[in-house]
Amino acid sequence: GDWIPPATEYGEMPGVAAATRIGNYTAEISLPAGRTRGRFLAIDRSDFPKVAWFRQDLAGESLGALMNRLALNGPNVLVSQKFLTDNLLSIGDRMEILVITDFGATLKEPFVVAGVYNHFPTVYEDETVVVGNMDYIFSFYPVAMPHNIWLRLQPGVSSAGVLASIAKVTGVDAIRKI
């Protein structure tokens, strides 16, 4: 992960309005009814709202309020309303999650359900996804774990031009447009 230039480098490129780090990791969640596999979406809670598209009806709270819930203490996560209901959980409940950040690099912690979303960027209704604070996850490792960089482009800017600039300036050519 250390070969990935910092998000600030991307955010300063011409045509880019903002950049944020996103980790998309495999997770195993331990619940009273058993274990379930899913995804742990680690976000940079301070930069994520500058990049992500979010609408008022995607959660019962604003995106800023959800990000503040992740900041309250380290092991906080957001879960979908469906996951909360299906597993008879409440805000404040703990669940142990094994996060697999890279080959041979894992973290097993009791996380606290701190908030709920109805829909979240890149999360589909048929999958189990917990959203957590990337800084908390990375605090357990001496190096940055592999992650992606999401960009918000300035209005009217060509994504093809920005992608070409990124490859030229950073040497990173494994970029995909979503």
Side-chain angles (χ1 to χ4, degrees):
D2 284 341
W3 64 269
I4 301 173
T8 53
E9 278 189 39
Y10 293 99
E12 295 168 355
M13 296 187 74
V16 176
T20 190
R21 301 171 301 152
I22 302 290
N24 193 12
Y25 308 118
T26 300
E28 187 174 286
I29 305 162
S30 296
L31 299 161
R35 293 177 189 225
T36 186
R37 291 188 67 82
R39 212 166 33 110
F40 192 101
L41 188 63
I43 62 175
D44 182 331
R45 62 162 205 84
S46 53
D47 289 335
F48 185 79
K50 299 172 192 169
V51 174
W53 178 86
F54 204 79
R55 205 174 54 208
Q56 185 178 3
D57 62 329
L58 299 182
E61 299 180 89
S62 70
L63 182 57
L66 291 174
M67 298 301 100
N68 287 340
R69 288 185 174 276
L70 290 179
L72 293 174
N73 71 38
N76 282 349
V77 291
L78 309 173
V79 299
S80 72
Q81 181 63 54
K82 180 180 180 341
F83 181 82
L84 192 80
T85 303
D86 288 352
N87 292 288
L88 306 173
L89 295 170
S90 300
I91 300 290
D93 285 351
R94 291 184 179 276
M95 57 187 174
E96 190 171 81
I97 303 175
L98 172 68
V99 182
I100 304 166
T101 56
D102 198 8
F103 180 75
T106 62
L107 169 67
K108 191 173 191 177
E109 284 285 305
F111 285 87
V112 176
V113 176
V116 179
Y117 62 84
N118 296 321
H119 303 284
F120 204 83
T122 74
V123 175
Y124 295 97
E125 288 183 29
D126 63 341
E127 62 180 340
T128 300
V129 178
V130 293
V131 179
N133 189 339
M134 177 179 270
D135 288 335
Y136 180 75
I137 297 296
F138 282 13
S139 72
F140 290 90
Y141 303 104
V143 297
M145 290 291 104
H147 59 279
N148 297 310
I149 305 291
W150 286 7
L151 305 176
R152 175 178 289 275
L153 301 184
Q154 294 171 349
V157 170
S158 160
S159 60
V162 172
L163 291 175
S165 294
I166 289 171
K168 189 176 197 179
V169 172
T170 66
V172 175
D173 61 359
I175 306 278
R176 73 173 189 205
K177 180 182 165 191
I178 297 177

